[in-house]
Amino acid sequence: MIQYGQNSKVKTEETTITVDTVEVAKINLDSIHFKPSSEMLAEDQYWAIIDKSLKETTNQEDQELFLVTELEKFSPQEMLGFRLRTDKLMFDSYSSNLWCANYIISNGLADDGFDYFRCWLISRGKEVFYKVQENPDFLINIVGNEPKVYDFEGFWYVAMTAFKDMTNQELTPYLDYENFKTNDENYPVLEFNWSVDEPQTMEKICPALFAKFWKK
């Protein structure tokens, strides 16, 4: 576990963030008879944590560190709930149209990174996440001016890291996937309404993104 002093500063090449000390004791799960859970963290609470991380950091490395530190202040139940809420948002955003948008903004380089792209999307906050679900072309307001692979692999594991830091146990066995079905083991089989061999089908779904990024 990473220890911080009062108002200690963590430096990166891009920015400096300040983290206040919060003394949190290690948790013995056996002593509280902890059982696997299928209960998600309340969505408002979830997005509040994401919003706070965006306000306090300016790059992925610091955002990941900030989120782990925040989650270490939570109960084991809440850490599990954060991961389950993430699973639910990943499930909800598993769509053909969003995959098309990801493929376009990377100019075909993110063919195998759809999961981590959606992690990145969630990490941008509630407004961005839901507006992109409604219209993938909204991404044109978020991404840069050149084709790029947008992903955030570490985001998917922040709750796991915090849980392990605080309990010395792995989080996965405490996820009750018998009762929580909206996870990566149950993604639907997508019926793609676009094809890289027919670029006009991608243009139809994301005309603004296609015009800006597709260069083949």
Side-chain angles (χ1 to χ4, degrees):
M1 177 181 174
I2 300 172
Q3 301 292 335
Y4 295 104
Q6 181 66 32
N7 292 327
S8 63
K9 293 183 178 180
V10 182
K11 293 185 178 180
T12 70
E13 294 181 357
E14 299 183 37
T15 190
T16 299
I17 61 173
T18 300
V19 184
D20 291 332
T21 296
V22 175
E23 295 293 338
V24 183
K26 294 285 186 177
I27 301 166
N28 184 340
L29 295 184
D30 292 335
S31 69
I32 57 177
H33 307 289
F34 195 73
K35 297 180 180 180
S37 175
S38 61
E39 183 178 349
M40 292 184 288
L41 191 68
E43 188 168 6
D44 287 347
Q45 187 178 6
Y46 181 93
W47 289 120
I49 299 168
I50 303 300
D51 289 345
K52 186 176 181 181
S53 73
L54 290 170
K55 291 175 182 176
E56 296 292 336
T57 66
T58 59
N59 60 66
Q60 280 190 12
E61 182 180 357
D62 286 347
Q63 187 180 14
E64 182 178 347
L65 175 61
F66 185 91
L67 287 168
V68 170
T69 303
E70 285 294 297
L71 289 172
E72 286 176 353
K73 303 172 188 177
F74 284 20
S75 68
Q77 183 79 37
E78 290 170 323
M79 295 179 204
L80 287 171
F82 185 95
R83 173 55 193 241
L84 290 170
R85 176 64 64 182
T86 300
D87 283 345
K88 176 65 162 57
L89 294 170
M90 292 284 285
F91 187 94
D92 291 345
S93 57
Y94 188 78
S95 69
S96 173
N97 284 357
L98 192 55
W99 201 322
C100 179
N102 178 37
Y103 197 88
I104 291 172
I105 64 176
S106 70
N107 202 43
L109 297 178
D111 191 27
D112 297 322
F114 189 43
D115 284 340
Y116 299 142
F117 166 75
R118 286 165 19 252
C119 285
W120 168 80
L121 183 62
I122 296 168
S123 79
R124 297 299 85 201
K126 180 178 181 179
E127 181 179 7
V128 170
F129 178 81
Y130 282 111
K131 284 189 175 180
V132 171
Q133 304 315 303
E134 295 173 4
N135 177 16
D137 249 354
F138 183 79
L139 280 167
I140 203 166
N141 301 301
I142 310 301
V143 298
N145 294 317
E146 295 295 331
K148 179 181 175 182
V149 176
Y150 289 88
D151 58 31
F152 193 171
E153 179 180 358
F155 181 84
W156 209 351
Y157 303 105
V158 291
M160 299 175 111
T161 301
F163 193 88
K164 182 65 177 292
D165 287 346
M166 298 311 299
T167 68
N168 290 321
Q169 296 192 41
E170 299 296 335
L171 175 145
T172 304
Y174 293 95
L175 296 172
D176 181 8
Y177 282 155
E178 289 296 318
N179 294 301
F180 186 86
K181 299 299 185 182
T182 51
N183 59 70
D184 60 335
E185 297 178 358
N186 295 300
Y187 284 162
V189 177
L190 294 180
E191 295 184 8
F192 288 94
N193 52 353
W194 57 278
S195 168
V196 296
D197 296 325
E198 299 176 282
Q200 69 274 14
T201 60
M202 296 189 291
E203 184 178 16
K204 184 176 180 180
I205 295 169
C206 303
L209 290 175
F210 187 89
K212 184 173 183 178
F213 293 109
W214 195 252
K215 299 183 177 181
K216 291 188 176 181

